Amino acid sequence: MTKPRRILFVTGTRADFGKLEPLALAARDAGHHVAFFVTGMHMLPAYGLTKVEVHRVPGVDVVEFLNHREGDPQDVIFAKTVIGFSDHLRVEPPDLVVIHGDRVEAMATALVCATNYVRCAHIEGGEVSGTIDEVFRHCNTKLAHSHLVSSLTARRRVLAMGESADCVHVIGSPELDTHSAPSGVTLEAVRARYDIPFDSYGIVIFHPVTSEAETMGQQAADLFGVLEVSGQSFVVIRPNNDPGVDAIQEVIASLPPARFRVLPSMRFSHFSELLRNAAAIIGNSSTGVREAPFLGTPSLDIGTRQTNRALSASVHQAAAADHASIAAFLQDDWGKRHPPSQEFGAGRSADNFLAVLADPDFWTRPLQKHFMEGDA
Amino acid sequence: MTKPRRILFVTGTRADFGKLEPLALAARDAGHHVAFFVTGMHMLPAYGLTKVEVHRVPGVDVVEFLNHREGDPQDVIFAKTVIGFSDHLRVEPPDLVVIHGDRVEAMATALVCATNYVRCAHIEGGEVSGTIDEVFRHCNTKLAHSHLVSSLTARRRVLAMGESADCVHVIGSPELDTHSAPSGVTLEAVRARYDIPFDSYGIVIFHPVTSEAETMGQQAADLFGVLEVSGQSFVVIRPNNDPGVDAIQEVIASLPPARFRVLPSMRFSHFSELLRNAAAIIGNSSTGVREAPFLGTPSLDIGTRQTNRALSASVHQAAAADHASIAAFLQDDWGKRHPPSQEFGAGRSADNFLAVLADPDFWTRPLQKHFMEGDA
Amino acid sequence: MTKPRRILFVTGTRADFGKLEPLALAARDAGHHVAFFVTGMHMLPAYGLTKVEVHRVPGVDVVEFLNHREGDPQDVIFAKTVIGFSDHLRVEPPDLVVIHGDRVEAMATALVCATNYVRCAHIEGGEVSGTIDEVFRHCNTKLAHSHLVSSLTARRRVLAMGESADCVHVIGSPELDTHSAPSGVTLEAVRARYDIPFDSYGIVIFHPVTSEAETMGQQAADLFGVLEVSGQSFVVIRPNNDPGVDAIQEVIASLPPARFRVLPSMRFSHFSELLRNAAAIIGNSSTGVREAPFLGTPSLDIGTRQTNRALSASVHQAAAADHASIAAFLQDDWGKRHPPSQEFGAGRSADNFLAVLADPDFWTRPLQKHFMEGDA
Amino acid sequence: MTKPRRILFVTGTRADFGKLEPLALAARDAGHHVAFFVTGMHMLPAYGLTKVEVHRVPGVDVVEFLNHREGDPQDVIFAKTVIGFSDHLRVEPPDLVVIHGDRVEAMATALVCATNYVRCAHIEGGEVSGTIDEVFRHCNTKLAHSHLVSSLTARRRVLAMGESADCVHVIGSPELDTHSAPSGVTLEAVRARYDIPFDSYGIVIFHPVTSEAETMGQQAADLFGVLEVSGQSFVVIRPNNDPGVDAIQEVIASLPPARFRVLPSMRFSHFSELLRNAAAIIGNSSTGVREAPFLGTPSLDIGTRQTNRALSASVHQAAAADHASIAAFLQDDWGKRHPPSQEFGAGRSADNFLAVLADPDFWTRPLQKHFMEGDA
């Protein structure tokens, strides 16, 4: 039986909370004292005040910290988070801080852990995105004491950066845990609830890419043009509200409703059931490169948004303007089933996380780090 | 002719100023506008208020920022430096920020550069020390846009961490620039000024290691015991004022003055002349592993303080308690001359720095970074 | 019917919460949206983590902000509170901020209100204490837009400081509201619960005075010496945990238990019942100069702690060393009943507060203040 | 002979520096160690980087602190100034901090003095302006330990606020010191340098009032219309760069150059000579209500900007739209000489300041303040 520990999870967005929650629940159920440090976008009404979702988790403590106002630059947010988290650590020192990903809140809290010698584990290190966030992510790798990565590729990068192999654990991507369990709903129930008349359908999710905002309208016109010509039917999930979104929405508005069912969003369990039964998923959501391969559904990844983020055989790639490749995918891969990809784990990251925590060595490894030279 | 740029050097200690000054002077003389952002220990009377040394540099601007009071923890210093430097960048945006090494001030300012897309060059990345500072140093590598490293070994580590090869420049260690020029004084003048009666002498510098504070007295007793038995003569420079220093001072106080000339410190030019004519240098100062090999003087590195920091053939290693190895070094290597090691450059880092700045590509490389995968 | 408003109460200690709670409950019951900004000592486990008491209030929102760590100087706490409260006001702007008293948290939030033109009402302005807190209290008077004072004396001081008469409302001292209602318990029940065998008793509360820490032991010895000689019986409430407390505790430990019943603390309702039936209250608690006169119980105020804080006829004053005066009080005033003093109101401050809020002019008075010259 | 003290003057703008400089020079010449803490607008290039003017003062130390960036709200500036000044006080504790007036920097530094028990003297307390700055000014009165006021009226207000009479010193308004000495130039030299052809002239300075920005054009048209009709000649100093300035500048541009000589600014000594020889000064600058009465020159104060700020017999008042009163002033008061008003002192505030410092009691008065009740 594992000794109970005080584990503090840092969450700044609904997205990272989705990744941390399965791990936190598992830790709680294994007898650890679990708390969330809730900050960032969670605290702002403009983003839906999603801190309430954290408060709904039973059996855990919740600490709120408002770390910015609208308009604050990232370095100011960083500094305020450092002060607030450092004050909190003095008041309630945990045995372990768990951070996730690549946002400024994660790096600020990792820095506080490093300078105060508080053990810190980083989820999903070693991934790439090509934005400023990627820099934060790699700094988190250098600041954190343990690395709970999602894939062997990520592990390789973390090791290259000089981390010690016994501190890097491939636990898989936590959001796959939910997909690995039965969804709890039938496909018929999903189709009924969301008014989806099609027997065979693809799913389309096409978000704007901020640095390509001015071409998103043309990209959407290209992509949806080929889809329309194909004669197939599609469930379209509306894009994120980032620069360039209006031009995409305009294209979506012009699609024939008989073959394009457009939805703003879906319940998670229903979406999971829809995805595992889809003939294909098309667009630039991470769902296409991470969840779909795990469920065996073929993906067509469009454009640059997921570049270098996945390697599964079920994922094809095309530019939006590459009508021929898109058409070929719809022709050749529609409805194919692939063996489940375990590139990002087997949907057991919570179990893997518990196994890491259960190892007494995890808690006694030195907090002073050394650069490990790779094999030449 | 290079286009004149606004270059801001960040300095937090006398030590990093010693490294940055040769580069700043060269940049100034090449026609660039040079300024120093002076912060950290420079600003505290307790550390000698060394900001005055920066003010003495002619032809450069000096911006002062007091970023801490005695007792502030490192994360609080970090946050205050972020705010202060970020405010400053808004007021006087430079074309390039140059940071050095591994201290909290360097990382805080590198973070501000990264989030504000201000070009940042990092001096002496890729080195190792095994302390919390090493973590800061590697974060600087991930945050900075250019890397002006001191050795091929450092370059290899920076590349392993995913940096792009065209952003890594081996310029050598800047403090060797000063040693590479004639010292301007004769050995006779040095011996006269510091009252050194010996014709043949070794130099001993033995600093406390904070994490070994309680054994420093025994280590000093071991080391100086062998030196005393050897019958040779030594110039001893007093150790840094860190935990464990008292026990070392006590040992030093007991040495016979006829063969141990103890000095608190020396002028740089005089020390350089003394070092190049020494029969050996013994102890755990970085001088032994960096400057001495450059000058061809044999070194005996004692204990863990410089572990993994140098590879030159002229450097031997021994634990303080290893009387046999120490005695053997004094027997076999005393007075030997080695070919100058260029592991840390040829003493031309300022010239190399100017060559980097003179390349127009340096100023146009994208500020958005990508992780470069190494060759498998 | 009053228009519902968003009212935010700032609380930093259990003491000010005791004053703010009756007002907040009344505002809530009158239909206003009530929230607490909880900060200061409430947030620290070392002080009992009293934020949980605020969370127990039904029907109100609670916003937590950790504004310091142990050891932070007051100006640093001030600055952190300003940033945190200013961020919060941007996120959830209220119609009115209510602050209380003289602590650094009150002044910091009043400053934020002033510079952001958010209406701010200050409870218990115009009182004096002779410490740094008094300076904060008077600054609050200059920063706040409305003044809800406890007495005519306080009103006079607030007007002298240049505030406009139509912004100063004498509502009385809020903690008297609770004493003005029946306690809900019988004296017999109180005596049974706390094991108090005496029919006739005095209450003694003697806190350390920080600036007199070194003489507190002697003062306690003097005071309790006279009490012991008097032959009367006493309920002694243990003193606050401030410098000098140990010497007082030592004196208390030496008292004969048969006539001195020592209690660490009491439930509020039980204490209220005990106080209204006491033969006298002796010591330096504010209870002696504020609540006791309201209940008609005679008080002997010892030493400097409450200097200039009350004027009621039922309050006598003596130095601890003044054995004669103490003995005379015990002789002459023991068991006397006085007409209730209304110097600090009639125990209806919540009603008075609601009346202030119900005046539409309250919400439209200009937020730009002018110094009002007194009558010459 | 006065014991030399360390005196630190806080300056945030060119305006307050103009007031503090005569006092600082006098203190320096009396043998005290004088330093300036330079912050606020002085540090921003957008406001002319006026810190260089402070650096030009010989024989004093200068400490720079950048306390804001463009766009920072006042409470954030306040918090940053508190941290920066508090850090500075730990590093170089002075015997006395001197602040001036009503800006956020003065209040932030006064707060730091109050909580750290560092003696603080406030220049020009007790004045009124009817803006948020007035609130800061009165808080400074409550925070500071000594009050060096400019008039008996100001003294009366400071006493009303509960300050102790022995801490309030009427030293007069420091900028009058410069006017009280001979200007060092002749009127002819002034007229030659600034190309002023008139023998008889009025001076006009008309600044925008922020809260009346939208009517400033009409006000300027009204005022200058009457001036133009009068047939007299005028030297016009351009207005401050505040909201509403464009409309004023437009009116000024339309004036006939033969009778309106428009200047952007003047050297202080030249302006002083011009003012003492002017037939009148007209507009809303404080010069009209403070310096002009001291020099005996008649003033017409226009609009609300100086309301309640002066009482001298030589000052007349009119609204800009009140053509009749303006015309009457030009008819009746043009060229009149008044006996010098000493409402704001005799131009000897520096001497008075030294006298205050020379009193040993000044340095030993308790730093703990008490509210002094006025005489009823």
Side-chain angles (χ1 to χ4, degrees), chain B residues 318-332:
Chain B
D322 182 357
H323 300 197
S325 293
I326 298 171
F329 171 84
L330 295 175
Q331 184 74 35
D332 301 342

PDB file of all heavy atoms in Angstrom, chain B residues 318-332:
ATOM      1  N   ALA B 318      42.128  14.946  -8.148  1.00  0.00           N
ATOM      2  CA  ALA B 318      42.301  14.106  -6.955  1.00  0.00           C
ATOM      3  C   ALA B 318      41.336  14.553  -5.868  1.00  0.00           C
ATOM      4  O   ALA B 318      40.971  15.730  -5.794  1.00  0.00           O
ATOM      5  CB  ALA B 318      43.737  14.210  -6.426  1.00  0.00           C
ATOM      6  N   ALA B 319      40.906  13.612  -5.038  1.00  0.00           N
ATOM      7  CA  ALA B 319      40.180  13.982  -3.829  1.00  0.00           C
ATOM      8  C   ALA B 319      41.172  14.570  -2.833  1.00  0.00           C
ATOM      9  O   ALA B 319      42.368  14.253  -2.864  1.00  0.00           O
ATOM     10  CB  ALA B 319      39.487  12.751  -3.235  1.00  0.00           C
ATOM     11  N   ALA B 320      40.637  15.433  -1.938  1.00  0.00           N
ATOM     12  CA  ALA B 320      41.517  16.072  -0.963  1.00  0.00           C
ATOM     13  C   ALA B 320      42.184  15.040  -0.064  1.00  0.00           C
ATOM     14  O   ALA B 320      43.321  15.210   0.387  1.00  0.00           O
ATOM     15  CB  ALA B 320      40.720  17.067  -0.114  1.00  0.00           C
ATOM     16  N   ALA B 321      41.481  13.935   0.166  1.00  0.00           N
ATOM     17  CA  ALA B 321      42.020  12.908   1.072  1.00  0.00           C
ATOM     18  C   ALA B 321      43.009  11.978   0.372  1.00  0.00           C
ATOM     19  O   ALA B 321      43.646  11.139   1.005  1.00  0.00           O
ATOM     20  CB  ALA B 321      40.867  12.086   1.656  1.00  0.00           C
ATOM     21  N   ASP B 322      43.133  12.126  -0.932  1.00  0.00           N
ATOM     22  CA  ASP B 322      43.976  11.214  -1.707  1.00  0.00           C
ATOM     23  C   ASP B 322      45.421  11.743  -1.694  1.00  0.00           C
ATOM     24  O   ASP B 322      45.939  12.253  -2.695  1.00  0.00           O
ATOM     25  CB  ASP B 322      43.402  11.137  -3.132  1.00  0.00           C
ATOM     26  CG  ASP B 322      44.177  10.163  -4.004  1.00  0.00           C
ATOM     27  OD1 ASP B 322      45.181   9.589  -3.540  1.00  0.00           O
ATOM     28  OD2 ASP B 322      43.773   9.995  -5.175  1.00  0.00           O
ATOM     29  N   HIS B 323      46.080  11.561  -0.548  1.00  0.00           N
ATOM     30  CA  HIS B 323      47.426  12.107  -0.351  1.00  0.00           C
ATOM     31  C   HIS B 323      48.387  11.620  -1.420  1.00  0.00           C
ATOM     32  O   HIS B 323      49.232  12.382  -1.905  1.00  0.00           O
ATOM     33  CB  HIS B 323      47.944  11.725   1.037  1.00  0.00           C
ATOM     34  CG  HIS B 323      47.110  12.235   2.165  1.00  0.00           C
ATOM     35  ND1 HIS B 323      47.543  12.315   3.476  1.00  0.00           N
ATOM     36  CD2 HIS B 323      45.843  12.712   2.193  1.00  0.00           C
ATOM     37  CE1 HIS B 323      46.592  12.786   4.251  1.00  0.00           C
ATOM     38  NE2 HIS B 323      45.538  13.031   3.477  1.00  0.00           N
ATOM     39  N   ALA B 324      48.262  10.370  -1.805  1.00  0.00           N
ATOM     40  CA  ALA B 324      49.211   9.777  -2.762  1.00  0.00           C
ATOM     41  C   ALA B 324      49.146  10.493  -4.098  1.00  0.00           C
ATOM     42  O   ALA B 324      50.173  10.878  -4.683  1.00  0.00           O
ATOM     43  CB  ALA B 324      48.903   8.285  -2.936  1.00  0.00           C
ATOM     44  N   SER B 325      47.908  10.716  -4.614  1.00  0.00           N
ATOM     45  CA  SER B 325      47.783  11.355  -5.918  1.00  0.00           C
ATOM     46  C   SER B 325      48.299  12.786  -5.885  1.00  0.00           C
ATOM     47  O   SER B 325      48.917  13.271  -6.832  1.00  0.00           O
ATOM     48  CB  SER B 325      46.319  11.340  -6.373  1.00  0.00           C
ATOM     49  OG  SER B 325      45.914  10.016  -6.622  1.00  0.00           O
ATOM     50  N   ILE B 326      48.007  13.468  -4.790  1.00  0.00           N
ATOM     51  CA  ILE B 326      48.471  14.854  -4.684  1.00  0.00           C
ATOM     52  C   ILE B 326      50.004  14.898  -4.671  1.00  0.00           C
ATOM     53  O   ILE B 326      50.631  15.666  -5.401  1.00  0.00           O
ATOM     54  CB  ILE B 326      47.897  15.521  -3.414  1.00  0.00           C
ATOM     55  CG1 ILE B 326      46.365  15.550  -3.492  1.00  0.00           C
ATOM     56  CG2 ILE B 326      48.450  16.933  -3.234  1.00  0.00           C
ATOM     57  CD1 ILE B 326      45.682  15.991  -2.197  1.00  0.00           C
ATOM     58  N   ALA B 327      50.572  14.021  -3.871  1.00  0.00           N
ATOM     59  CA  ALA B 327      52.042  13.979  -3.794  1.00  0.00           C
ATOM     60  C   ALA B 327      52.650  13.623  -5.147  1.00  0.00           C
ATOM     61  O   ALA B 327      53.658  14.199  -5.574  1.00  0.00           O
ATOM     62  CB  ALA B 327      52.467  12.966  -2.722  1.00  0.00           C
ATOM     63  N   ALA B 328      52.008  12.690  -5.854  1.00  0.00           N
ATOM     64  CA  ALA B 328      52.525  12.279  -7.165  1.00  0.00           C
ATOM     65  C   ALA B 328      52.493  13.442  -8.139  1.00  0.00           C
ATOM     66  O   ALA B 328      53.427  13.662  -8.926  1.00  0.00           O
ATOM     67  CB  ALA B 328      51.697  11.103  -7.708  1.00  0.00           C
ATOM     68  N   PHE B 329      51.391  14.219  -8.105  1.00  0.00           N
ATOM     69  CA  PHE B 329      51.312  15.381  -8.999  1.00  0.00           C
ATOM     70  C   PHE B 329      52.440  16.363  -8.712  1.00  0.00           C
ATOM     71  O   PHE B 329      53.101  16.865  -9.622  1.00  0.00           O
ATOM     72  CB  PHE B 329      49.944  16.063  -8.833  1.00  0.00           C
ATOM     73  CG  PHE B 329      49.837  17.389  -9.538  1.00  0.00           C
ATOM     74  CD1 PHE B 329      49.507  17.444 -10.896  1.00  0.00           C
ATOM     75  CD2 PHE B 329      50.067  18.589  -8.866  1.00  0.00           C
ATOM     76  CE1 PHE B 329      49.412  18.669 -11.545  1.00  0.00           C
ATOM     77  CE2 PHE B 329      49.974  19.809  -9.509  1.00  0.00           C
ATOM     78  CZ  PHE B 329      49.647  19.853 -10.852  1.00  0.00           C
ATOM     79  N   LEU B 330      52.680  16.637  -7.424  1.00  0.00           N
ATOM     80  CA  LEU B 330      53.718  17.602  -7.062  1.00  0.00           C
ATOM     81  C   LEU B 330      55.090  17.107  -7.509  1.00  0.00           C
ATOM     82  O   LEU B 330      55.954  17.884  -7.919  1.00  0.00           O
ATOM     83  CB  LEU B 330      53.704  17.840  -5.540  1.00  0.00           C
ATOM     84  CG  LEU B 330      52.435  18.506  -4.985  1.00  0.00           C
ATOM     85  CD1 LEU B 330      52.489  18.565  -3.459  1.00  0.00           C
ATOM     86  CD2 LEU B 330      52.279  19.911  -5.569  1.00  0.00           C
ATOM     87  N   GLN B 331      55.263  15.792  -7.433  1.00  0.00           N
ATOM     88  CA  GLN B 331      56.529  15.167  -7.838  1.00  0.00           C
ATOM     89  C   GLN B 331      56.717  15.226  -9.361  1.00  0.00           C
ATOM     90  O   GLN B 331      57.736  15.670  -9.857  1.00  0.00           O
ATOM     91  CB  GLN B 331      56.501  13.697  -7.376  1.00  0.00           C
ATOM     92  CG  GLN B 331      57.771  12.931  -7.620  1.00  0.00           C
ATOM     93  CD  GLN B 331      58.849  13.362  -6.628  1.00  0.00           C
ATOM     94  OE1 GLN B 331      58.544  13.677  -5.474  1.00  0.00           O
ATOM     95  NE2 GLN B 331      60.093  13.437  -7.071  1.00  0.00           N
ATOM     96  N   ASP B 332      55.682  14.819 -10.074  1.00  0.00           N
ATOM     97  CA  ASP B 332      55.847  14.557 -11.520  1.00  0.00           C
ATOM     98  C   ASP B 332      55.542  15.756 -12.402  1.00  0.00           C
ATOM     99  O   ASP B 332      56.065  15.871 -13.503  1.00  0.00           O
ATOM    100  CB  ASP B 332      54.905  13.422 -11.948  1.00  0.00           C
ATOM    101  CG  ASP B 332      55.182  12.134 -11.169  1.00  0.00           C
ATOM    102  OD1 ASP B 332      56.285  12.034 -10.576  1.00  0.00           O
ATOM    103  OD2 ASP B 332      54.291  11.264 -11.149  1.00  0.00           O
TER     104      ASP B 332
END
